[in-house]
Amino acid sequence: MTHPHRPVRGRSPRTLVLACVTALAVATTGFAVAETRDGERAATADGRQAFDFAEGNSALEVIYPRVGPAVRKHINQVAMDGTLVLRVSALMESSWFDATAPYHPTAVGIHSDLGRRPASEATQKNLNTAMLYSTYRVMQSLMPTYDAQWREMLTSVGLDPDDDSTDRTTPVGLGNAAGNAVVEKRENDGMNQLGNEGGQKYHQRPYSDYTGYKPVNTAYEIRNPSRWQPALVSTGNGIFFAQSFVTAQLGRAEPYSFADPKDLLVSKPRSSNHRNRAAYKRQADEVLRASANLTDEQKLKAEFFNDKLIFASGFMGEVSDDLMEFIHSATASHIAGFDVMLASWYNKRKYDAPRPFTAIRYLYAGQKLRAWGGPGKGTVDDMPAEDWQSYLQVSDHPEYPSGSTAFCAAQAEVGKLVGGGDQTDIRYDVEKGGSYIEPGVTPAKDTSIRWTDWNEMVDDCAKSRVWGGVHFKAATEASKGLGAKVGESSYRYVQSHIEGKQVGSMR
């Protein structure tokens, strides 16, 4: 199957882990097949060649191809709701860390301490088996309505989903014990996964806000142009709904790598105060200019950085092909992702800043604008300000700071620390007409976008949020430093567990 959005990786002694991007990005449950060397095979239900436990990577070949499409279906097709997507990544991959820690010479789990196994048992087969079972237990908790799919994930490679052993001398037992520990520690961590936090007894709604946040503005009326306004959105099916602040309670959840998000405050968004009219107008006009002058490359970069499944799977830093190193890098990357979103949400809640669409409609009400006219319409000169929309779908939370930019910077920091420098090699290939916002139109020809430096990638990530019309530049600039801090703290946190210096669970 050819897919129009395909990030790829280069091969080197230390390879960039981007194959998993493809696995998560494509809407398929098929998985790649590894050549077997010692006959370690398991029969699949439909007769396909089996996953090679002794040589394969169960994350890339079995787990991601199932979890990715389920997340797109369950959360958002474009995977733009980062707090929910990155929770899945962080919990799932930290369960791999705990499940395989006993096979490492020094590592101690993040959510559990499951002892140490003899070095002779640290085989690829045991690592893969433990990973698969820990994933099964975590995904049963995170997305229980997909239980049949999680069962198939195990049966497709010859494993028994009904084997609930927690015998720590076996990979099955270690996987189950690790997954269960993650579930126990995280189901009531402040994010309200079960809908029971805040005293909700009946009609519990998973991930609902229990903190009492209410927007000052409505989707129909701007009462205060300095505050966040929910957008009125639709998927084009005739049904419209007003946004609510997604996971507004996230700032109260328990972080992994730092003590308190209050210690990670970013500067106040002074230009978002409409009483500071010159600055307020200046940043809105910058977004309008970007909207009117969008290039194919800018549109594709905006789409690339907007998709949190590509984020969550692609920017893992540079690691060797060794499965244990892959697990450690993935864990550091996605703990950074979860923690940086938590810190960003604490700031978003504090500042409650407006999106560009609010400022533009407030400033230019009754006037005509030059801007992108919608999918396939290019730039127009007669758009009523009330009709202006961003290229990307506007996100369902306050504008400042930019969670996407902070996440991008956190991933880059982990990548630098794992790889030992600023160099990377990320290429994003899109076929002619392969845009998901302007299908059949953008790009006008097959296009390849490449980054060879982490800093360049972060800069483009930040700019893409302005090109996409969903952030002001000030929000993206404030987010770079925040992301770098959390990326470093997450890397150090995971390293402490790898070295066995930090024993036990989260803070």
Side-chain angles (χ1 to χ4, degrees):
M1 172 181 178
T2 300
H3 194 264
H5 318 286
R6 188 173 295 275
V8 297
R9 60 173 177 164
R11 284 283 181 183
S12 64
R14 296 180 65 77
T15 57
L16 183 67
V17 182
L18 281 172
C20 47
V21 176
T22 299
L24 276 172
V26 298
T28 176
T29 57
F31 56 85
V33 178
E35 291 295 326
T36 184
R37 294 182 182 176
D38 60 0
E40 293 282 5
R41 292 181 179 273
T44 56
D46 62 359
R48 291 177 296 176
Q49 188 178 13
F51 169 66
D52 180 0
F53 275 84
E55 297 291 335
N57 182 321
S58 58
L60 303 184
E61 300 174 53
V62 183
I63 298 169
Y64 286 147
R66 287 162 174 80
V67 173
V71 167
R72 290 192 185 281
K73 183 177 180 181
H74 187 69
I75 300 174
N76 186 285
Q77 182 61 35
V78 185
M80 60 181 284
D81 285 307
T83 61
L84 298 170
V85 174
L86 294 171
R87 180 177 178 82
V88 172
S89 299
L91 270 60
M92 179 175 70
E93 290 167 10
S94 61
S95 83
W96 303 345
F97 187 101
D98 283 25
T100 59
Y103 297 116
H104 188 274
T106 59
V108 176
I110 291 167
H111 305 86
S112 56
D113 184 354
L114 302 179
R116 189 80 54 215
R117 300 306 304 156
S120 61
E121 294 183 13
T123 64
Q124 194 97 338
K125 179 182 179 182
N126 283 346
L127 297 182
N128 277 313
T129 301
M131 289 169 66
L132 283 158
Y133 273 95
S134 72
T135 300
Y136 178 60
R137 298 303 169 191
V138 170
M139 294 312 299
Q140 279 186 310
S141 169
L142 286 170
M143 297 170 61
T145 57
Y146 292 81
D147 182 64
Q149 186 160 322
W150 311 140
R151 291 179 64 85
E152 186 273 339
M153 177 178 67
L154 296 190
T155 60
S156 72
V157 292
L159 299 178
D160 180 8
D162 294 319
D163 187 344
D164 59 1
S165 168
T166 54
D167 181 352
R168 298 181 184 184
T169 67
T170 69
V172 173
L174 288 172
N176 284 329
N180 291 341
V182 173
V183 171
E184 180 182 353
K185 293 286 173 60
R186 277 293 174 182
E187 276 192 339
N188 291 287
D189 64 354
M191 200 168 172
N192 203 19
Q193 177 184 322
L194 302 180
N196 61 344
E197 298 188 48
Q200 187 77 14
K201 186 176 180 181
Y202 303 110
H203 302 297
Q204 295 169 345
R205 296 170 295 174
Y207 299 108
S208 59
D209 175 35
Y210 56 87
T211 65
Y213 172 86
K214 293 182 180 179
V216 171
N217 300 304
T218 74
Y220 304 95
E221 181 184 5
I222 302 174
R223 296 169 179 166
N224 184 340
S226 302
R227 302 286 292 276
W228 180 62
Q229 179 186 23
L232 187 66
V233 297
S234 174
T235 56
N237 58 359
I239 298 173
F240 295 80
F241 63 92
Q243 293 176 333
S244 62
F245 186 173
V246 65
T247 60
Q249 71 280 5
L250 178 56
R252 296 190 184 181
E254 186 173 2
Y256 285 93
S257 67
F258 56 82
D260 194 328
K262 292 179 182 177
D263 299 329
L264 292 167
L265 280 179
V266 295
S267 58
K268 189 175 182 178
R270 299 187 185 282
S271 295
S272 291
N273 184 343
H274 75 285
R275 300 187 188 283
N276 186 4
R277 188 173 179 84
Y280 188 84
K281 183 176 182 297
R282 186 162 50 246
Q283 69 176 8
D285 288 346
E286 183 176 25
V287 171
L288 280 175
R289 284 193 298 274
S291 174
N293 294 284
L294 283 171
T295 66
D296 279 6
E297 181 176 324
Q298 289 172 342
K299 291 175 180 178
L300 296 180
K301 287 180 178 179
E303 293 182 23
F304 176 80
F305 289 113
N306 198 49
D307 191 315
K308 301 309 182 292
L309 276 182
I310 294 180
F311 264 13
S313 57
F315 304 130
M316 289 183 180
E318 295 184 3
V319 299
S320 74
D321 290 327
D322 177 82
L323 182 56
M324 187 72 81
E325 289 190 28
F326 172 92
I327 292 167
H328 292 170
S329 179
T331 303
S333 175
H334 297 144
I335 281 180
F338 179 85
D339 274 5
V340 83
M341 285 295 177
L342 191 156
S344 296
W345 253 241
Y346 182 85
N347 280 277
K348 284 177 180 289
R349 175 73 177 262
K350 178 178 178 63
Y351 295 123
D352 200 40
R355 291 278 174 178
F357 83 89
T358 299
I360 289 168
R361 294 176 184 180
Y362 167 73
L363 287 166
Y364 292 104
Q367 299 182 46
K368 299 293 180 65
L369 303 175
R370 185 172 186 269
W372 176 68
K377 295 185 182 299
T379 299
V380 299
D381 296 304
D382 59 347
M383 177 178 291
E386 293 77 9
D387 293 340
W388 185 88
Q389 291 187 26
S390 51
Y391 180 78
L392 298 173
Q393 180 178 317
V394 64
S395 301
D396 45 3
H397 43 83
E399 188 265 347
Y400 188 95
S402 166
S404 294
T405 304
F407 175 76
C408 207
Q411 302 308 284
E413 191 65 24
V414 172
K416 293 175 186 179
L417 291 168
V418 172
D422 294 340
Q423 291 71 39
T424 187
D425 190 9
I426 304 170
R427 195 177 83 241
Y428 180 47
D429 293 337
V430 184
E431 297 172 359
K432 178 181 178 181
S435 160
Y436 65 76
I437 292 176
E438 293 189 312
V441 176
T442 300
K445 60 182 179 180
D446 291 354
T447 301
S448 179
I449 299 169
R450 189 172 188 175
W451 296 274
T452 57
D453 182 281
W454 284 115
N455 300 308
E456 293 175 359
M457 186 273 291
V458 172
D459 285 343
D460 268 359
C461 178
K463 292 174 183 176
S464 77
R465 307 306 287 170
V466 179
W467 298 333
V470 292
H471 279 291
F472 299 117
K473 183 178 180 180
T476 66
E477 291 300 313
S479 302
K480 291 179 182 178
L482 173 64
K485 286 180 183 178
V486 175
E488 181 178 8
S489 68
S490 299
Y491 173 81
R492 302 298 178 199
Y493 174 81
V494 173
Q495 279 298 117
S496 71
H497 280 275
I498 293 172
E499 296 165 6
K501 296 178 180 177
Q502 185 158 335
V503 178
S505 65
M506 306 167 297
R507 296 177 182 274

